[in-house]
């Protein structure tokens, strides 16, 4: 064959390859073109969504790719294809991949944003969603339930994605096992960044749920590994494992107000995870254990200061002959080679024990089955302060064996054992959260099957150099720093720009209205001394401070007429700070009120050195609305009909209207009905359950028209402090009813002609289950 013929053949081959490449790649620019391309796609095809905003698109991505030639749906440029409005994505078939999409400024019109299922006959196997973002893609109505990602089928993957901002009902990610085709699924949830999930005010706010009560005894084999969970505060369960044989490896939980919970199902592996807390919160948790056969190894806990359900390790009591949706007994669990640094009480055993409550709870709720055949070995506990309570026990711990656990100070717990050893040792600080012993502690317990624990937290070989605790020396210093950018999409920056904090001078009512309209989140409206007449509601849909320029000469806001029902109207994400303001209204107006519906995200209200007078109520919320914080400090409320009204969640499902309510150094005078109505119905002891603090305040001549005869209502709220207050001439029967079982009691209050406090030791609430 001569050289010219060879050259001709090579040229034709080159053009043939180019034709094949072009035929397998198609750029689409609208929904119709997209679905047409999907309907014709073959193995190896690439469907490219053109950059720009894709609004109100419901994508059904189906087809049959192969392992070598998947069908790929991806953004023209990762992060520059924006899925907005009423949009979602359903995936069904084999070897399909989705990459580079950004869901924002909208919500799903169905129950899911991304679903590995098109219909009951077309679900996904061997499919992948990667390098995508779902941010604030939450339902307008917080009470509507959806999931951002639903797993069905087998061998599917969510990887290198960022998901943050879900505030409505339902887990962010849910794995379903309904039907034989969905069990033994081997799904992978890896290398993702689960960004902040705001507090929800009740249950059903998990970040990840694997299975459910009905399928909890089925094998899932889902792997959750190398993910970064950042301030996932939706509820007490960050992860709720409700199936068998799941693995949780090498994840980081940063200041998450909840726990990794083995809620149902058996034989989970929790290995090499890092839990980082702080000094400011007792709600940040670790691992909670129910059921059988789990191995909890090589985990590191730093400043996990919660107790009971939110302790670093919470081992539950079970219910004898428990139904599937309650608490099975803990048996055959191994807790070994973990490190607990500056955790107040690392081990809480028999959490939820209530064998003395048979007069309150039905037999199906009495948790008297203590952990059995559980071994706790080779764990390291270090506390900076002298003295440690490594174990809090709510029942006997006769089914737990302790072996070679060491702590650096005296064991002050009730539980004593030869396997809990006080031993002086030092630690080195290698980062803000990582403290490592200065030397290995080689006196490890070599128990049954412990030889299978071959590495430590950072992958060091334990067969060469072993030590008590999660870490063996020497340590690979390249692994000690957390790089958030290593998780989620490479193109996405999760760090938000700080609020503007510009000061806008206000000298007239029109200045205030226009200034508020044009202000950016974080701005300050500084009001000159004077009287400002307003006949409309002021909308708060961002973070705004309204303050007097001179705190000694307060600006006065007079809301005349109806003012559309309220002086300030709170929208989702509204954050109002009133500082040094005099505020007057009339009996037809609320000082602050939420929207009647579609409060998709939390709001906040801060009153500082402010006086509110002559309103119908200080705050009126709607059902489905939620405040993260209500704070009244150094302020006065007088001549109002009602005070703070936070009692719209009356369905007794564990929900409530505010997480934190603070009344400090303030005065309430001539509030005709109750000063506060803060309600949580539905008995769910695992949730935070609301927080109320009333301190150093004065209540005078309030409650004369209150039909219940209770001045401060806090029924069902778990954490209540009422201390150092003065109650004078309040014509009520009761100042408050406190929940004795939760340790609530009045402290150092002065009462004159104002009724009394009543403590109900065992408050009867409707069971949620």
């Amino acid at each position: 064959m001569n050289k010219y013929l060879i050259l001709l053949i090579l040229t034709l081959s080159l053009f043939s390859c180019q034709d094949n490449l072009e035929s397998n790649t198609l750029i689409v620019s609208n929904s119709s073109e997209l679905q047409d391309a999907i309907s014709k796609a073959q193995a190896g095809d690439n469907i490219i969504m053109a950059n720009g905003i894709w609004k109100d698109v419901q994508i059904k991505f189906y087809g049959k790719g192969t392992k070598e030639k998947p069908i790929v749906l991806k953004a023209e440029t990762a992060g520059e294809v924006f899925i907005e409005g009423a949009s979602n994505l359903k995936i069904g078939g084999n070897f399909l991949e989705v990459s580079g999409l950004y869901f924002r400024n909208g919500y799903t019109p169905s129950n899911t944003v991304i679903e590995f299922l098109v219909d009951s006959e077309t679900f996904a196997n061997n499919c992948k969603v990667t390098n995508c973002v779902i941010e604030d893609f939450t339902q307008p109505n917080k009470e509507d339930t959806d999931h951002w990602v639903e797993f069905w089928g087998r061998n599917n993957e969510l990887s290198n994605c960022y998901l943050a901002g879900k505030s409505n009902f339902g887990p962010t990610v849910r794995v379903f096992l309904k039907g034989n085709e969905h069990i033994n699924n081997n799904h992978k949830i890896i290398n993702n960044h689960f960004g902040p999930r705001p507090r929800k005010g009740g249950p059903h706010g998990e970040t990840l749920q694997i299975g459910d009560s009905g399928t909890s005894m089925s094998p899932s084999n889902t792997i959750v590994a190398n993910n970064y969970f950042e301030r996932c505060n939706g509820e007490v369960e960050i992860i709720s494992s409700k199936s068998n044989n799941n693995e949780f490896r090498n994840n980081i939980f940063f200041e998450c107000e909840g726990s990794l919970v083995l809620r149902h199902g058996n034989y989970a592996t929790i290995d090499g995870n890092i839990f980082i807390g702080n000094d400011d919160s007792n709600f940040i948790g670790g691992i909670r254990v129910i059921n059988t056969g789990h191995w909890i190894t090589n985990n590191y806990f730093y400043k996990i200061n919660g107790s009971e359900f939110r302790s670093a390790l919470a081992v539950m009591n079970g219910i004898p002959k428990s139904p599937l949706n309650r608490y099975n007994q803990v048996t055959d669990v191994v807790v070994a080679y973990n490190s607990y640094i500056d955790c107040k009480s690392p081990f809480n055993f028999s959490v939820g024990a209530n064998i003395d409550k048979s007069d309150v709870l039905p037999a199906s709720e009495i948790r008297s089955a203590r952990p059995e055949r559980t071994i706790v070995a080779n764990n390291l506990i270090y506390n900076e302060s002298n003295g440690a309570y490594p174990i809090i026990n709510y029942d006997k711990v006769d089914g737990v064996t302790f072996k070679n656990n060491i702590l650096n100070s005296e064991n002050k717990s009730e539980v004593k054992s030869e396997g809990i050893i006080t031993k002086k040792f030092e630690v080195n600080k290698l980062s803000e959260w990582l403290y490592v012993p200065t030397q290995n502690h080689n006196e490890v317990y070599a128990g049954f099957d412990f030889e299978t624990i071959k590495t430590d937290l950072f992958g060091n070989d334990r067969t060469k150099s072993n030590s008590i605790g999660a870490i063996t020396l020497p340590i690979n210093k390249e692994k000690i720093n957390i790089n958030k950018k290593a998780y989620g999409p490479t193109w996405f920056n999760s760090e938000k720009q700080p609020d503007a904090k510009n000061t806008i001078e206000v000298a007239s009512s029109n200045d205030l209205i226009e200034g508020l309209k044009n202000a950016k989140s974080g701005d300050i409206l500084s009001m000159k001394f004077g009287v400002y007449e307003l006949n409309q509601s002021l909308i708060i849909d961002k973070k705004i401070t309204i303050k007097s320029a001179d705190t000694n000469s307060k600006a006065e806001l007079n809301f005349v007429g109806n003012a559309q029902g309220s002086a300030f109207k709170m929208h989702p994400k509204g954050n109002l700070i009133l500082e040094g303001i005099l505020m007057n209204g009339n009996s037809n107006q609320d000082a602050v009120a939420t929207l009647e519906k579609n409060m998709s995200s939390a709001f906040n209200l801060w009153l500082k050195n402010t006086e509110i007078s002559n309103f119908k109520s200080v705050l009126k919320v709607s059902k489905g609305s939620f405040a993260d914080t209500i704070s009244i400090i150094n302020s006065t409320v007088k001549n109002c009909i009602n005070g703070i009204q936070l009692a719209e969640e009356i369905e007794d499902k564990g929900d409530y209207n505010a997480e934190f309510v603070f009344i400090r150094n303030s005065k309430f005078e001539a509030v005709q009905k109750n000063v506060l109505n803060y309600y949580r119905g539905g008995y769910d002891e695992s949730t935070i359950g609301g927080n109320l603090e009333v301190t150093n305040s004065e209540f005078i001549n309030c409650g004369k028209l209150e039909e219940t005869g209770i001045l401060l209502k806090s029924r069902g709220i778990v954490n209540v402090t009422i201390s150092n207050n003065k109650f004078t001439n309040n014509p009520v029967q009761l100042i408050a009813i406190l929940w004795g079982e939760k340790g609530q009691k009045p402290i150092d209050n002065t009462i004159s002609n104002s009724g009394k406090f009543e403590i109900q030791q065992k408050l009867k609430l409707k069971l949620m289950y």
Side-chain angles (χ1 to χ4, degrees):
M1 185 181 295
N2 63 46
K3 63 180 179 180
Y4 298 105
L5 182 58
I6 293 172
L7 181 61
L8 177 62
I9 293 172
L10 290 174
T11 302
L12 291 173
S13 298
L14 179 62
F15 277 110
S16 176
C17 291
Q18 182 66 29
D19 287 342
N20 287 336
L21 178 62
E22 291 177 354
S23 67
N24 289 340
T25 301
L26 181 64
I27 298 178
V28 296
S29 58
N30 57 55
S31 182
S32 177
E33 291 178 359
L34 173 59
Q35 287 304 146
D36 184 61
I38 290 172
S39 68
K40 297 174 182 178
Q42 301 295 318
D45 284 359
N46 291 277
I47 303 170
I48 311 298
M49 295 177 68
N51 291 345
I53 295 175
W54 292 64
K55 191 168 184 179
D56 300 333
V57 290
Q58 285 90 59
I59 304 169
K60 293 184 178 180
F61 181 33
Y62 54 90
K64 294 183 179 179
T66 66
K67 184 176 182 179
E68 294 76 21
K69 294 183 177 182
I71 302 173
V72 177
L73 173 65
K74 65 179 181 179
E76 181 181 4
T77 304
E80 294 187 26
V81 171
F82 303 103
I83 311 296
E84 299 187 354
S87 300
N88 59 18
L89 168 65
K90 294 179 180 290
I91 304 168
N94 284 280
F95 294 103
L96 309 177
E97 293 185 11
V98 177
S99 177
L101 306 184
Y102 188 171
F103 290 82
R104 67 176 194 181
N105 298 335
Y107 57 92
T108 176
S110 65
N111 294 326
T112 55
V113 179
I114 297 176
E115 185 173 13
F116 287 91
L117 177 144
V118 172
D119 55 48
S120 60
E121 302 297 324
T122 312
F123 46 85
N125 291 313
N126 307 297
C127 295
K128 178 193 295 188
V129 173
T130 189
N131 208 32
C132 292
V133 168
I134 309 176
E135 186 177 32
D136 295 336
F137 209 71
T138 198
Q139 293 288 339
N141 181 2
K142 189 171 74 74
E143 296 184 300
D144 288 342
T145 299
D146 67 10
H147 309 123
W148 280 6
V149 179
E150 278 189 8
F151 278 88
W152 299 84
R154 289 176 175 164
N155 304 310
N156 297 314
E157 179 179 307
L158 180 73
S159 60
N160 298 97
C161 291
Y162 178 82
L163 297 88
K166 190 176 192 294
S167 57
N168 64 306
F169 275 50
T172 306
V173 177
R174 178 98 184 255
V175 177
F176 282 93
L177 287 82
K178 296 180 179 179
N180 289 338
E181 61 270 44
H182 307 294
I183 65 172
N184 285 311
N185 52 62
N186 300 302
H187 296 316
K188 292 182 179 179
I189 301 170
I190 56 175
N191 305 317
N192 301 290
H193 183 172
F194 292 97
R197 175 157 188 175
R199 300 179 182 106
K200 186 190 142 294
H204 310 296
E206 303 95 335
T207 296
L208 171 59
Q209 180 179 330
I210 307 174
D212 58 33
S213 298
T215 61
S216 59
M217 293 297 117
S218 301
S220 181
N221 303 306
T222 293
I223 295 175
V224 180
N226 300 301
N227 300 287
Y228 186 75
F229 294 85
E230 179 183 14
R231 297 188 176 98
C232 295
N233 299 339
E235 62 137 89
V236 70
E237 298 183 13
I238 309 163
I239 296 177
S240 186
S241 181
K242 296 184 175 182
S243 46
N244 291 344
N245 306 113
N246 298 315
E247 297 184 20
F248 306 92
R249 296 184 183 273
N250 307 117
N251 302 287
I252 296 172
F253 298 87
F254 180 77
E255 295 185 354
C256 295
E257 292 183 347
S259 301
L260 193 172
V261 180
L262 304 175
R263 183 64 183 86
H264 302 308
N266 307 305
Y267 308 111
T269 298
I270 304 179
D271 182 81
N273 302 280
I274 295 170
F275 297 82
I276 301 174
N278 57 44
D279 288 324
D280 299 325
S281 177
N282 292 327
F283 302 134
I284 296 170
I287 298 169
R288 179 151 58 99
V289 184
I290 305 104
N291 286 69
T292 293
H294 310 301
W295 279 59
I296 300 167
T297 56
N298 291 319
N299 301 288
Y300 180 92
F301 304 83
Y302 175 67
K303 289 193 175 181
I304 305 301
N305 293 326
S307 60
E308 296 189 68
F309 291 85
R310 295 171 188 267
S311 54
L313 178 74
V315 181
M316 297 282 295
N317 257 23
I319 299 170
K321 300 180 180 179
S322 173
L324 282 177
N325 68 333
R326 299 307 290 128
Y327 291 92
N328 281 314
Q329 185 178 21
V330 173
T331 65
D332 306 290
V333 167
V334 173
V335 180
Y337 291 116
N338 302 286
S339 291
Y340 303 85
I341 307 297
D342 279 341
C343 300
K344 286 184 179 178
S345 55
F347 302 148
N348 279 221
F349 284 99
S350 294
V351 173
N354 51 19
I355 55 176
D356 61 334
K357 300 176 186 177
S358 57
D359 59 330
V360 177
L361 299 174
S364 61
E365 285 299 309
I366 297 176
R367 292 190 291 278
S368 58
R370 298 190 292 272
E372 290 186 353
R373 300 186 302 280
T374 292
I375 185 165
V376 178
N378 300 333
N379 298 287
L380 180 143
I381 300 170
Y382 178 88
N383 279 283
E384 186 70 32
S385 60
N386 184 28
Y389 293 83
I391 300 173
I392 294 179
N393 58 303
Y394 301 91
D395 200 345
K396 297 178 181 179
V397 291
D398 48 357
V400 181
T401 300
F402 298 94
K403 293 287 187 180
N404 294 39
N405 303 281
I406 64 171
L407 63 155
N408 69 317
S409 55
E410 179 188 357
N411 174 17
K412 294 184 178 181
S413 303
E414 293 182 3
V415 177
K416 309 292 183 181
S417 169
E418 293 181 356
I420 305 172
I421 304 163
T422 295
K423 178 180 178 180
K424 296 295 182 181
F425 61 90
E426 301 295 328
V427 295
N428 285 330
K429 180 179 179 180
L430 300 186
S431 73
E432 286 301 312
W433 56 271
L434 181 61
Y435 290 74
V436 176
T438 56
Q439 63 182 29
N440 284 333
H441 301 281
N442 303 116
E443 58 278 14
V444 298
Y445 170 71
F448 176 71
D449 281 346
F450 272 38
E451 69 276 6
T452 62
I453 309 173
K454 294 181 179 181
T455 59
D456 75 346
L457 173 67
F458 294 115
N460 287 339
D461 189 348
R462 285 192 181 276
T463 63
K464 294 181 179 179
S465 177
N466 204 357
S467 180
I468 290 172
I471 300 168
T472 62
L473 301 176
I475 187 171
N476 183 347
K477 293 187 177 181
E478 293 181 359
K479 298 182 179 181
I480 66 175
N481 293 314
I482 295 174
N483 179 14
K484 286 201 297 185
K485 294 181 180 179
Y487 304 88
T490 55
W491 54 264
F492 183 75
N493 182 9
S494 64
E495 298 297 328
K496 306 303 178 187
Q497 293 296 320
D499 290 330
K501 293 185 179 180
N502 297 313
T503 297
I504 301 170
E505 301 293 338
V506 173
S508 68
S509 298
N510 188 63
D511 285 351
L512 178 60
I513 293 168
E514 291 301 311
L516 181 59
K517 185 184 301 182
N518 297 322
K520 296 180 179 179
S521 186
D523 282 353
I524 300 168
L525 302 181
S526 179
M527 301 182 65
K528 292 184 178 181
F529 176 72
V531 178
Y532 297 74
E533 300 281 345
L534 295 158
N535 61 5
Q536 61 179 280
S537 292
L538 299 179
I539 294 173
I540 305 298
D541 57 3
K542 50 203 165 191
K543 184 177 182 180
I544 289 294
T545 298
I546 300 175
K547 62 183 295 186
S548 292
D550 182 356
T551 56
N552 295 317
S553 300
K554 295 180 180 179
E556 184 173 342
L557 298 179
N558 282 343
F559 289 85
V560 298
N562 183 47
Q564 300 175 19
S566 66
F568 290 96
K569 184 69 72 174
M570 303 302 296
H571 285 229
K573 296 187 178 180
N575 189 331
L576 175 61
I577 302 169
L578 290 176
E579 187 171 354
I581 298 292
L582 299 176
M583 191 167 146
N584 296 300
N586 62 61
S587 61
N588 294 318
Q589 300 170 322
D590 300 308
V592 181
T594 65
L595 293 174
E596 289 300 314
K597 59 181 180 179
N598 292 341
M599 286 295 293
S600 59
S601 301
F603 71 96
N604 293 278
L605 175 64
W606 304 77
L607 304 181
K608 302 177 180 179
N609 192 27
T610 288
E611 182 177 301
I612 294 180
S613 304
N614 303 311
F615 283 95
K616 183 179 179 181
S617 67
V618 177
L619 172 63
K620 181 70 173 68
V621 301
S622 61
K623 180 173 171 52
S625 66
F626 178 69
D628 190 275
T629 301
I630 305 296
S631 177
I632 301 176
I633 299 176
N634 296 322
S635 295
T636 298
V637 174
K638 64 181 183 180
N639 300 323
C640 293
I641 297 174
N642 298 287
I644 304 160
Q645 304 301 300
L646 299 166
E648 292 301 316
E649 301 297 344
I650 58 175
E651 294 180 346
D652 292 351
K653 294 183 178 180
D655 300 301
Y656 44 100
N657 288 118
E659 195 65 67
F660 297 97
V661 179
F662 302 112
I663 300 173
R664 297 168 175 163
N665 302 302
S666 294
K667 181 178 180 180
F668 290 77
E669 184 173 2
V671 177
Q672 296 181 36
K673 294 187 178 181
N674 61 75
V675 169
L676 172 71
N677 191 1
Y678 184 17
Y679 179 82
R680 183 196 70 148
Y683 185 64
D684 178 14
E685 64 193 340
S686 64
T687 61
I688 294 176
N691 301 269
L692 172 64
E693 179 186 316
V694 183
T695 56
N696 300 302
S697 296
E698 191 171 2
F699 303 85
I700 303 170
N701 194 28
C702 296
K704 67 179 181 179
L705 297 182
E706 175 53 45
E707 295 177 356
T708 66
I710 305 172
L711 189 66
L712 301 173
K713 298 180 180 179
S714 60
R715 183 172 177 81
I717 303 302
V718 173
N719 304 294
V720 175
T721 299
I722 302 179
S723 64
N724 297 292
N725 304 290
K726 293 182 179 180
F727 298 91
T728 305
N729 295 328
N730 299 288
V732 293
Q733 181 180 358
L734 297 172
I735 296 172
I737 297 175
L738 300 180
W739 195 351
E741 185 181 348
K742 299 299 180 183
Q744 299 174 15
K745 60 182 179 180
I747 300 172
D748 296 333
N749 298 286
T750 302
I751 302 171
S752 176
N753 193 29
S754 296
K756 62 179 181 178
F757 286 95
E758 179 178 301
I759 298 178
Q760 291 188 7
Q761 188 62 32
K762 297 176 180 178
L763 190 68
K764 292 186 178 181
L765 293 172
K766 180 181 177 181
L767 290 173
M768 287 175 53
Y769 301 98

